[in-house]
Amino acid sequence: MTILVTGGLGFIGSHTVVELINQGHECVIIDNLSKSTIDVVNRIEMVTHKKVSFIKVEMLDKTAIRKVFQQFSISAVIHFAGYKSVGESVKQPLLYYQNNLFSTLNLLDVMQEFAVKKLVFSSSATVYGDTSIPPLTENLPLSAPNPYGRSKLMLEEILRDLVEANTEWSVALMRYFNPIGAHTSGLLGEMPYDTPNNLMPHVLKVASGESAKLQIFGGDYETLDGSCIRDFIHIMDLAKGHVKALQYVEQHTGCEAFNIGTGVGYSVLSLLRTFEIVTGEKVPYEIINRREGDIVISIADVQKAENMLNWKAQYQLEDMCVDSWRWYQSIKGYV
Ligand code: UD1
C-alpha cells in the first residue's frame, strides 16, 4: 500500500518523505513545483538510497488527483500542499482561500471516491490566535489572525465536519509550532526561493553575509530579554511526528488535533546567541519596531502527542542551528 504525500517536495513534506521511506513505507509524492523544484526528488533519493515516485499535479485540477488514485493503491494521505506566507495571504486573500481550500476539497472528494479515509493534515499553531496563555493545549478555543491562518482553521473545521458525518474517517490535525533545522546530511533543507518570512532563513542570510543585519521585531515585550518566545522544533522531529500520526490514523477513527512542538520556549535573542556559539558565525542585528500580528509567547503543551502518538521531540536548539547552517552552506550559490 502506498502513502500519498501532497506537497512532498516542500520543506516539511520532503523531510517527512525521507522518514516514511526510512520506516519502510512506499510513497508517492505530488507537488505542483510552485514553491519547490524537481531537484528535491534527487535529494530525497540521495538521502534514502531509494527511488521515489513523483508526479507533478496541480491540485486545483481534480481530474489530475483522480489519476494518481487510479495509478496507485493509496492507503492514506499526508496533505502538506498549500500556501503558507502570512504577508502574502493578507495581500492576496482570495489566492490563499482558493488554493488552500479548493485543493483540499478536491483531495477529500477524490479520497471519498476511492474510499481512502485516513488523512494526516498539515495545520499550524497559528489556529490558537493571540489570546491564549501558553503552554497551548489542543482543546483551547481557536481563532486565526490572517487569511493564511483562517484557511488552516477553516480546513480543520471542514475536516471535523467530514469525520462527524463519516465515522469511518480518521484525521490527524498537525499543529506545528516553529520548524527549523535541516536533514543532518546537509542534502535536504528549506530551499530559499522566496524572500524569507520566518526567522531562521533571515538568520542564515545574515550569517552568510548576504544581508547586513537581522532585524528583530520588538525588544520591549514582557519577556526576560524583551524579544518574543517561540517553540522551535527540528524538522526531523516534526517529520518523525508525521510517521507516528500516520500509524495513529491507521489504527483509529475520528478527528484529533496534535501539537507538534518541543514544549520548550526560546527567545529570538537566545536563538541568535545559540546560533553564534555553535556555528562560530556573527549575526549582527538591530532591534526595530514590533511586527504587527506577532504574539509574545508561543509554546506547545506536548502531553497529548506524547500520550497518544508516543512521540516526543529529541533534538535540541543547538542541533537545529548547526543543521540549518550546514544545509545553508551546502546550497550557497546553488539556487
Ligand atoms: C509565523 C506566522 C505564523 C505562521 C508561521 C509559519 C506571523 C505573525 N506569524 O509565525 O502565522 O504559522 O510563521 O511559518 O507572521 N522575527 C524577527 N526578525 C525576522 C523574522 C522573525 O525578529 O526577520 C521574529 C518574529 O517577530 C517572531 C519570531 O522571530 O517573534 C519568529 O518569527 P517567524 O519565524 O516569522 O514565526 P512566527 O511569527 O512564530
Side-chain angles (χ1 to χ4, degrees), residues 5-57:
V5 185
T6 78
L9 300 187
F11 180 39
I12 303 178
S14 58
H15 288 78
T16 300
V17 168
V18 165
E19 214 34 49
L20 286 168
I21 294 172
N22 285 345
Q23 297 301 319
H25 293 281
E26 289 283 321
C27 301
V28 55
I29 298 172
I30 62 172
D31 198 299
N32 68 0
L33 299 176
S34 67
K35 308 278 177 188
S36 58
T37 63
I38 189 81
D39 173 55
V40 178
V41 175
N42 303 330
R43 290 172 173 274
I44 294 171
E45 289 178 347
M46 275 194 278
V47 171
T48 59
H49 307 291
K50 294 260 164 65
K51 273 280 204 226
V52 176
S53 304
F54 166 70
I55 305 169
K56 185 177 177 207
V57 170

Side-chain angles (χ1 to χ4, degrees), residues 121-175:
F121 173 66
S122 181
S123 186
S124 165
T126 194
V127 299
Y128 293 116
D130 56 5
T131 51
S132 297
I133 297 160
L136 303 164
T137 49
E138 286 87 348
N139 54 7
L140 283 166
L142 305 176
S143 69
N146 51 61
Y148 155 74
R150 272 190 284 280
S151 74
K152 291 290 179 191
L153 188 48
M154 285 175 192
L155 286 168
E156 282 203 4
E157 284 168 353
I158 289 169
L159 288 166
R160 282 190 193 286
D161 287 343
L162 176 67
V163 173
E164 186 90 4
N166 301 272
T167 50
E168 288 167 3
W169 271 76
S170 178
V171 176
L173 308 170
M174 308 295 273
R175 295 183 183 156

Side-chain angles (χ1 to χ4, degrees), residues 52-191:
V52 176
S53 304
F54 166 70
I55 305 169
K56 185 177 177 207
V57 170
E58 181 47 74
M59 293 184 68
L60 294 175
D61 175 2
K62 201 193 284 186
T63 313
I65 303 177
R66 193 176 285 121
K67 275 191 189 148
V68 178
F69 279 74
Q70 281 162 348
Q71 193 180 337
F72 293 87
S73 179
I74 309 280
S75 61
V77 179
I78 306 186
H79 178 38
F80 295 105
Y83 291 156
K84 62 168 189 176
S85 161
V86 172
E88 194 176 51
S89 80
V90 173
K91 288 191 193 116
Q92 300 186 71
L94 294 184
L95 179 75
Y96 268 65
Y97 289 126
Q98 182 145 33
N99 187 66
N100 292 2
L101 298 183
F102 289 168
S103 60
T104 308
L105 290 172
N106 282 345
L107 172 70
L108 296 174
D109 250 357
V110 177
M111 286 176 72
Q112 286 266 56
E113 205 177 307
F114 285 78
V116 178
K117 296 169 182 168
K118 298 180 185 319
L119 176 71
V120 177
F121 173 66
S122 181
S123 186
S124 165
T126 194
V127 299
Y128 293 116
D130 56 5
T131 51
S132 297
I133 297 160
L136 303 164
T137 49
E138 286 87 348
N139 54 7
L140 283 166
L142 305 176
S143 69
N146 51 61
Y148 155 74
R150 272 190 284 280
S151 74
K152 291 290 179 191
L153 188 48
M154 285 175 192
L155 286 168
E156 282 203 4
E157 284 168 353
I158 289 169
L159 288 166
R160 282 190 193 286
D161 287 343
L162 176 67
V163 173
E164 186 90 4
N166 301 272
T167 50
E168 288 167 3
W169 271 76
S170 178
V171 176
L173 308 170
M174 308 295 273
R175 295 183 183 156
Y176 311 136
F177 281 69
N178 289 65
I180 57 172
H183 192 266
T184 43
S185 64
L187 288 167
L188 209 57
E190 186 168 19
M191 287 286 190

